């Protein structure tokens, strides 16, 4: 995947209007497909393509747009609908509103061209592009989209060679948290909480107060001052998100380069949104760091084991004994009543997560497996048995 920027200041107003008009046509087709499904139809890609051909024959408004972008919209819809039945937790496609949805257009090889450093799209649309780096080969498709700040980007799909990483033999366990985003069995590879959003909280609050003052009643067009304040708030949000992404990428690259076996707590941070730690948890971006680590490790051929978080903070990493009561959040030191082992709460949980991979030594390097945490151990080895009851939740 390759991305490059299309600066707003360089995109003529006529070109921006053409891209937005094309997006409204594609959005109309997407919403029509959603309507067909809700009415009891079965809108697969072949049926939608046939309906598109009939609609373009009798509607001049659709014929003014690119058939490639419209077909790609229907293809994306059919793929999203198919994944809603196969991927757990994936919902069905919903209507894209004019106010809340951001423009996104996809073109295949016969729908775009690159000449003279400019991106050429159907219907005579030519866009100047600021290239982030050279393309390693000819792209197979491109996605042109606009972010919340009004900046346009073009993301090209290209084939590139992946450099193999050196052979690594180490193992590491990773426990997610709030004070420290990722606590590992190797303290040198911890991911500290940097608080990127916290640093710009004062500026963000100032922009949000300005939005509140300039906001007009519902039904009235918002002023340019309100739009400017909203753009400033969006810029601050995006700045913090980019800093979190960069930090997670640098950390994941270092962890993957030094370890062959990576045991990751399969932590779902969604429930933190209903707690008093919601703002700090969102700032830590645990989900983004976890996703980046798994993707990089999988591409590098490392062995990744996802361990459920149940009982990991209640289990001793030394003897495998489990505490009878869950530790309160203010208790940061784990003390085992059986063997007397004492360690940092999160560091002990990371060691328990790593110990859960002992019984999976036969797993190939390309697999991502789920493993139960050790609920009984003899001399540090995981003992076979029935998986624990997860109804108690994270200990």
């Amino acid at each position: 995947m390759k991305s490059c920027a299309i600066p707003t200041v360089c995109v003529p107003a006529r070109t921006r209007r053409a891209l937005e008009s094309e997006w409204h046509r594609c959005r109309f087709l997407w919403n029509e497909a959603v309507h067909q499904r809700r009415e009891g139809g079965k809108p697969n890609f072949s049926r939608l393509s046939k309906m598109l051909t009939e609609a373009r024959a009798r509607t001049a408004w659709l014929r003014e747009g690119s058939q490639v972008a419209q077909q790609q919209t229907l293809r994306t819809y059919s793929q999203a609908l198919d994944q809603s039945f196969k991927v757990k937790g994936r919902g069905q496609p919903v209507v894209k509103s004019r106010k809340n949805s951001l423009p996104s257009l996809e073109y295949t090889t016969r729908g775009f061209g690159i000449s003279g450093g400019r991106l050429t799209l159907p219907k005579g649309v030519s866009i100047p592009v600021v290239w982030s780096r050279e393309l390693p080969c000819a792209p197979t498709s491109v996605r042109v989209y606009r972010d919340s700040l009004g900046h346009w980007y073009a993301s090209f799909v290209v084939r590139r060679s992946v450099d193999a990483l050196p052979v690594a033999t180490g193992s590491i366990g990773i426990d997610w948290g709030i004070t420290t985003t990722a606590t590992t069995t190797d303290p040198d590879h911890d991911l500290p909480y940097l608080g990127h959003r916290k640093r710009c909280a004062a500026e963000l609050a100032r922009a949000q107060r300005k939005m509140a003052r300039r906001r007009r009643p519902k039904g009235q067009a918002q002023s340019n001052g309100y739009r400017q304040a909203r753009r400033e708030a969006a810029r601050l949000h995006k700045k913090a998100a980019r800093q979190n992404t960069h930090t997670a990428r640098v950390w994941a690259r270092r962890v993957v380069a030094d370890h062959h076996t990576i045991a990751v707590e399969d932590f779902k941070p969604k429930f933190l949104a209903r707690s008093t730690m919601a703002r700090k948890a969102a700032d830590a971006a645990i989900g983004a760091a976890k996703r980046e680590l798994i993707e990089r490790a999988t591409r590098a051929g490392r062995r990744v084991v996802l361990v459920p978080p149940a009982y990991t903070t209640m289990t001793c990493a030394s003897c495998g004994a489990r505490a009878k009561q869950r530790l309160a959040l203010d208790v940061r030191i784990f003390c085992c009543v059986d063997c007397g082992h004492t360690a940092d709460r999160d560091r002990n949980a990371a060691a328990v997560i790593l110990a859960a991979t002992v019984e999976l030594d036969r797993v190939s390097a390309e697999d991502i497996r789920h493993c139960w945490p050790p609920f009984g151990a003899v001399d540090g080895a995981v003992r076979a048995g029935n998986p624990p009851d997860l109804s108690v939740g994270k200990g």
Side-chain angles (χ1 to χ4, degrees):
M1 186 70 72
K2 162 82 163 54
S3 297
C4 63
I6 305 175
T8 307
V9 295
C10 297
V11 178
R14 178 183 176 184
T15 302
R16 290 201 298 268
R17 288 195 297 267
L19 292 174
E20 292 173 354
S21 299
E22 188 66 62
W23 160 243
H24 291 317
R25 297 185 188 94
C26 295
R27 187 177 59 86
F28 166 78
L29 295 174
W30 178 284
N31 294 341
E32 183 63 25
V34 173
H35 175 72
Q36 293 288 338
R37 176 181 56 82
R38 292 178 177 177
E39 292 297 323
K42 298 181 179 179
N44 53 25
F45 179 66
S46 60
R47 294 181 181 178
L48 291 175
S49 298
K50 184 178 179 180
M51 294 171 58
L52 174 61
T53 303
E54 297 174 354
R56 286 178 61 90
R58 64 174 183 268
T59 307
W61 178 65
L62 288 176
R63 289 197 302 270
E64 293 176 358
S66 170
Q67 186 177 4
V68 176
Q70 296 171 11
Q71 283 184 340
Q72 287 299 113
T73 299
L74 299 181
R75 187 183 298 276
T76 303
Y77 171 84
S78 62
Q79 292 175 354
L81 183 62
D82 183 64
Q83 291 179 357
S84 66
F85 297 104
K86 296 180 180 179
V87 181
K88 183 179 179 181
R90 187 72 57 84
Q92 294 185 352
V94 297
V95 172
K96 293 185 177 181
S97 65
R98 184 187 184 96
K99 181 183 298 184
N100 299 326
S101 57
L102 295 174
S104 178
L105 304 170
E106 295 184 14
Y107 298 90
T108 55
T109 51
R110 66 188 184 94
F112 73 97
I114 301 175
S115 60
R118 300 175 69 91
L119 176 63
T120 304
L121 300 178
K123 305 299 180 181
V125 178
S126 180
I127 310 173
V129 178
V130 177
W131 297 94
S132 59
R133 55 191 180 275
E134 295 295 332
L135 293 175
C137 62
T140 58
S141 64
V142 62
R143 183 169 70 94
V144 181
Y145 62 96
R146 190 188 70 192
D147 64 359
S148 59
L149 299 179
H151 300 161
W152 288 90
Y153 293 88
S155 178
F156 295 90
V157 177
V158 296
R159 291 185 178 275
R160 63 182 180 90
S161 59
V162 180
D163 298 332
L165 293 177
V167 178
T169 58
S171 302
I172 190 171
I174 300 174
D175 178 76
W176 304 107
I178 301 299
T179 304
T180 302
T181 304
T183 302
T184 66
T185 53
D186 185 1
D188 294 335
H189 291 80
D190 287 355
L191 177 61
Y193 168 74
L194 300 179
H196 295 301
R197 288 187 175 89
K198 185 178 180 180
R199 287 202 301 270
C200 61
E203 298 179 53
L204 181 61
R206 190 180 304 111
Q208 291 174 341
R209 288 195 298 267
K210 189 180 296 184
M211 287 174 57
R213 290 195 305 268
R214 298 179 178 181
R215 183 178 182 87
R216 293 179 178 177
K218 186 176 181 180
Q220 298 183 14
Q222 299 297 336
S223 63
N224 292 332
Y226 172 82
R227 296 191 184 96
Q228 182 180 2
R230 185 177 62 178
R231 193 179 301 110
E232 179 63 20
R235 186 189 66 82
L236 294 172
H237 278 296
K238 191 152 192 174
K239 177 183 178 181
R242 286 173 172 171
Q243 290 175 334
N244 281 329
T245 301
H246 174 74
T247 303
R249 287 176 177 175
V250 173
W251 171 76
R253 187 186 303 115
R254 191 160 57 92
V255 171
V256 171
D258 297 342
H259 302 89
H260 174 71
T261 301
I262 303 174
V264 185
E265 179 188 7
D266 194 12
F267 181 59
K268 303 296 191 301
K270 184 177 180 180
F271 78 95
L272 291 176
R274 300 187 297 269
S275 67
T276 57
M277 299 182 293
R279 179 174 296 180
K280 192 171 183 179
D283 192 3
I286 298 176
K290 173 186 170 185
R291 181 169 57 252
E292 184 69 26
L293 175 64
I294 293 177
E295 290 178 357
R296 285 187 176 271
T298 305
R299 290 199 303 266
R302 306 308 194 196
R303 187 162 74 102
V304 181
V305 182
L306 300 179
V307 180
Y311 304 106
T312 53
T313 56
M314 299 171 59
T315 305
C316 177
S318 178
C319 66
R322 184 189 301 170
K324 296 182 180 180
Q325 296 181 353
R326 289 190 292 179
L327 276 70
L329 292 177
D330 57 344
V331 179
R332 307 311 305 172
I333 302 298
F334 177 86
C335 298
C336 180
V337 297
D338 291 353
C339 67
H341 174 69
T342 302
D344 179 77
R345 171 196 180 112
D346 295 335
R347 195 81 62 191
N348 176 79
V352 172
I353 292 171
L354 179 59
T357 65
V358 174
E359 62 184 17
L360 293 181
D361 289 336
R362 299 183 304 274
V363 178
S364 63
E366 293 80 9
D367 289 342
I368 293 181
R369 301 289 179 87
H370 287 72
C371 172
W372 299 105
F375 46 90
V378 178
D379 297 333
V382 179
R383 185 172 58 196
N386 297 325
D389 183 13
L390 301 182
S391 58
V392 178
K394 183 177 174 65

